[in-house]
Amino acid sequence: MKRFILLWIGEMISNIGSGMTAFALSLYIYNFTGKVSDIALLSLISFLPAILINPIGGILADRHDRRVLMIMGDVLSGLCLLYILYIIKTSVNMSDTIVPIFIAIGVSSIFLGILEPAYKSTVTELISSDNYDKASGLLQLAASSKLLISPALAGIILAKSNIDLILIIDISTVLFTIIILAIIRNSLKNDENIIEEDIDKTTTEKNIIKELRDGLQIIRGNKGVSNLVFLMFLACFLMAFIQVLVRPMILNIANEKMLGIAESICAFGILVGSGFIGIRGIKLSYARSLGIAGIISGVFISLAGLSSSLTFIVIFIFVFFITLPFINASADALVRNSIPNSLQGRAWGIIGFLTQIGIVAAFLISGPLVDNVFEPMMREGGILSDTFLKVLGLGPGRGIGLLLIIVGILFSIVFAFTLYNKNINQMEEKDGI
């Protein structure tokens, strides 16, 4: 467990740095173009390559030293950050930096796609099954640092400095994480099944194809896992809408500094939820916890869309964030208990690919939906301005609010089905949870 805590500290610090960069880059681009579509495009480019490479990353995680893969992923993504810093520092016009930033973020995403399955399978390696729920809670806490600490820090820095300093800080956190991984690797015995160097290239390629099929078969062969993966696909699809919509909605009623502070306050809910799980664990069955938390999440994101007050939006999203660790930890524990450790690398790779395709789909349609449909409909003189929906308010940001209400309702409906899904509930019965 000590090694896991060390890994967790490194991951949390790295997440703070990457969260600051993501916040700063999204504002950098939005302030220049003023389009929600460009924020969605940035998010798409940061996710899509990682999703596509995830299955290969899962196979590599089962075949090679997982710590080495993680170090390689961090080093190469750090080089991409250096490139972005160089472009911003040397370009004369802001418009000249947009495309290079998109390219660098896309390349960095490829390396992160290799890193993620190795990270997830390393966690399973470092802890006992009795601690899966607590470990998941702590992992959610580390992941939440992108939202809990990064926005407020980035907002304060941007108010007094510029994006250059944020990129330098992020590069420093990458170096710190590499040191942590090197320490963990040196303290572990290499007991993974590493493929020998004398295997010829043809055999390796055949094995990769076979292992991709094996990873897919692991999921297809377990009805509970396959049902859960489909559920999380839908959840990721809706969650991506929320990710894209909340920031520009708040920017319509607050400045960048207030946005950063508001995001951090909201994300404190993840700290509350993750901290509770990390200390107490999940007392309900995982399937029941998953369903109830998802329903509550949807209700409160709809309330956030309903409001035009920054105070109430922060309160509602705060509660929404409290529920997210229960969703993620419950789904995470169900999968870990259903798949053997030796197969988890390729399984997580395939699961990451299948679930996050929903994120890609949402990023593709959310921006155009807002810019071309919902925002125009909710303006003064828009086609919905004389309907009962005018009670939501008219003007900038209210089309986003309406779309958030719809997303929240769908979110609750998706997770309500979980409570009655026999296959997901039987995952716990089979494993004796």
Side-chain angles (χ1 to χ4, degrees):
M1 196 69 177
K2 290 180 180 179
R3 294 189 186 108
F4 165 73
I5 294 297
L6 188 61
L7 178 68
W8 173 74
I9 291 171
E11 181 69 8
M12 183 166 67
I13 291 174
S14 177
N15 280 336
I16 292 172
S18 60
M20 290 173 62
T21 296
F23 181 89
L25 285 177
S26 65
L27 294 187
Y28 181 86
I29 292 170
Y30 185 69
N31 286 337
F32 177 69
T33 68
K35 294 182 178 180
V36 176
S37 299
D38 290 318
I39 295 180
L41 180 59
L42 179 65
S43 300
L44 173 64
I45 291 172
S46 69
F47 270 95
L48 182 58
I51 294 169
L52 296 176
I53 204 69
N54 248 334
I56 302 298
I59 291 173
L60 293 174
D62 285 342
R63 296 173 60 175
H64 298 287
D65 189 318
R66 291 163 178 172
R67 270 64 61 187
V68 171
L69 291 173
M70 293 165 69
I71 290 171
M72 288 175 57
D74 278 328
V75 168
L76 295 172
S77 62
L79 291 175
C80 291
L81 289 172
L82 279 172
Y83 175 71
I84 293 174
L85 179 61
Y86 170 78
I87 290 297
I88 291 176
K89 292 284 288 183
T90 58
S91 296
V92 178
N93 298 318
M94 187 176 174
S95 59
D96 295 334
T97 65
I98 303 300
V99 173
I101 285 173
F102 282 156
I103 293 172
I105 291 297
V107 173
S108 177
S109 179
I110 294 173
F111 303 136
L112 294 177
I114 295 174
L115 185 154
E116 185 178 3
Y119 174 67
K120 284 182 173 291
S121 46
T122 292
V123 169
T124 305
E125 209 175 342
L126 296 177
I127 58 176
S128 65
S129 60
D130 293 340
N131 291 315
Y132 283 165
D133 57 346
K134 293 182 179 180
S136 294
L138 291 174
L139 291 176
Q140 290 303 308
L141 181 58
S144 71
S145 60
K146 288 183 179 181
L147 300 172
L148 177 65
I149 301 171
S150 300
L153 259 178
I156 292 170
I157 291 172
L158 289 174
K160 297 183 178 180
S161 183
N162 54 38
I163 193 173
D164 299 0
L165 179 57
I166 288 177
L167 288 168
I168 292 170
I169 293 172
D170 193 8
I171 292 167
S172 300
T173 64
V174 169
L175 293 174
F176 179 82
T177 305
I178 291 170
I179 294 171
I180 292 289
L181 290 171
I183 292 172
I184 292 173
R185 181 174 185 266
N186 289 334
S187 68
L188 285 172
K189 294 179 180 180
N190 284 329
D191 55 357
E192 295 99 341
N193 294 321
I194 299 176
I195 302 300
E196 298 295 333
E197 293 181 356
D198 60 352
I199 294 181
D200 61 77
K201 183 179 179 182
T202 303
T203 303
T204 301
E205 289 176 349
K206 289 181 179 178
N207 284 342
I208 288 176
I209 294 172
K210 180 180 182 301
E211 289 175 36
L212 281 172
R213 290 174 179 169
D214 289 345
L216 187 58
Q217 187 57 43
I218 291 167
I219 297 168
R220 292 177 60 186
N222 187 316
K223 290 185 177 180
V225 173
S226 60
N227 285 184
L228 185 60
V229 167
F230 179 68
L231 169 74
M232 297 314 291
F233 161 81
L234 296 175
C236 286
F237 174 75
L238 296 170
M239 187 69 70
F241 271 90
I242 298 167
Q243 180 180 340
V244 171
L245 299 178
V246 168
R247 190 167 288 169
M249 184 177 74
I250 294 178
L251 275 176
N252 280 299
I253 56 176
N255 59 30
E256 294 175 358
K257 183 177 180 180
M258 287 304 299
L259 170 65
I261 294 172
E263 283 195 26
S264 292
I265 292 172
C266 292
F268 187 74
I270 297 182
L271 177 65
V272 173
S274 299
F276 180 88
I277 295 171
I279 296 171
R280 298 287 304 276
I282 296 175
K283 301 304 180 182
L284 298 174
S285 70
Y286 293 139
R288 189 169 180 79
S289 170
L290 183 68
I292 293 173
I295 292 170
I296 295 172
S297 294
V299 169
F300 279 92
I301 204 62
S302 290
L303 289 173
L306 185 65
S307 177
S308 57
S309 162
L310 180 61
T311 300
F312 282 109
I313 289 173
V314 169
I315 292 172
F316 294 141
I317 298 179
F318 173 81
V319 179
F320 166 75
F321 276 134
I322 288 177
T323 65
L324 292 187
F326 289 89
I327 294 173
N328 292 324
S330 298
D332 188 83
L334 285 169
V335 172
R336 290 187 191 279
N337 278 287
S338 301
I339 298 174
N341 179 39
S342 61
L343 302 175
Q344 288 211 4
R346 70 198 75 176
W348 282 117
I350 296 292
I351 290 170
F353 174 79
L354 294 175
T355 57
Q356 294 183 50
I357 284 295
I359 295 176
V360 173
F363 285 159
L364 284 172
I365 66 176
S366 58
L369 265 180
V370 171
D371 291 334
N372 302 320
V373 181
F374 280 86
E375 281 292 288
M377 287 194 304
M378 294 298 289
R379 291 174 186 159
E380 292 284 352
I383 62 174
L384 296 180
S385 61
D386 291 327
T387 69
F388 72 96
L389 290 173
K390 66 182 179 181
V391 300
L392 299 177
L394 301 174
R398 296 323 303 148
I400 297 176
L402 174 59
L403 185 52
L404 270 181
I405 292 170
I406 296 171
V407 168
I409 292 170
L410 293 174
F411 205 81
S412 293
I413 292 172
V414 165
F415 281 95
F417 283 108
T418 308
L419 298 174
Y420 304 100
N421 188 296
K422 293 181 180 179
N423 292 321
I424 293 177
N425 282 277
Q426 286 172 356
M427 291 171 73
E428 299 183 81
E429 294 172 10
K430 291 177 181 178
D431 295 305
I433 296 175

